[in-house]
Amino acid sequence: MVQRGEITDRAWQEIEPLLPEYGQSGGQWRDHRTVVNGILWKLRTGSPWRDLLERYGPWQTCFDRFNRWRRDGTWDRLLAHAQTKSDAVGEVEWEVSVDETLIRAHQHAAGARSEPSEEDPKGGS
């Protein structure tokens, strides 16, 4: 059973072929789907990697695969595929939002004096 926030069977069928092959022979590799769900949980919650839930396996596995896939472009391919596929069937409505926020610091937030003020009888800054 798919838990809330995890990849559905339909979505998994779409992205599984885009993922790299499992590692070298001789090693036990954790299932890609479990690792991807762990990565998504971490990104969704903002928790530290070390707080990853046990059902996703060792946090180091998710962390290492996240970084490896970032470096080799796997995440970029997945995003491009999802955007292209969803756009083609009309599931995505593209909307651009531009925010022109300007924040100014108060004049006294510019920094402390480096030399004492002449008006300050105690010589403090």
Side-chain angles (χ1 to χ4, degrees):
M1 175 175 201
V2 176
Q3 296 192 12
R4 183 175 65 95
E6 295 188 348
I7 295 177
T8 64
D9 293 335
R10 180 175 173 238
W12 183 248
Q13 289 174 352
E14 290 290 327
I15 68 169
E16 185 178 25
L18 303 171
L19 296 175
E21 296 293 322
Y22 287 95
Q24 300 108 1
S25 61
Q28 291 285 36
W29 275 63
R30 184 161 292 279
D31 178 48
H32 279 333
R33 187 171 184 172
T34 304
V35 172
V36 170
N37 281 326
I39 292 169
L40 293 176
W41 180 87
K42 190 271 185 237
L43 296 175
R44 185 177 63 253
T45 62
S47 297
W49 284 105
R50 291 179 186 266
D51 292 346
L52 194 69
L53 301 178
E54 288 182 17
R55 72 175 179 248
Y56 301 124
W59 69 267
Q60 295 94 333
T61 301
C62 292
F63 175 77
D64 290 343
R65 215 166 299 175
F66 172 77
N67 285 318
R68 186 179 310 118
W69 289 352
R70 181 182 48 82
R71 285 191 306 267
D72 72 10
T74 299
W75 292 118
D76 294 333
R77 280 194 310 276
L78 290 174
L79 178 62
H81 177 75
Q83 289 173 333
T84 304
K85 177 100 173 149
S86 297
D87 195 29
V89 294
E91 293 176 351
V92 175
E93 182 177 321
W94 298 102
E95 184 174 313
V96 176
S97 175
V98 178
D99 183 11
E100 197 175 318
T101 303
L102 179 64
I103 299 173
R104 294 181 185 259
H106 189 272
Q107 62 186 3
H108 297 122
R113 289 191 180 129
S114 57
E115 296 184 19
S117 170
E118 293 178 14
E119 293 100 26
D120 188 354
K122 296 181 182 177
S125 49

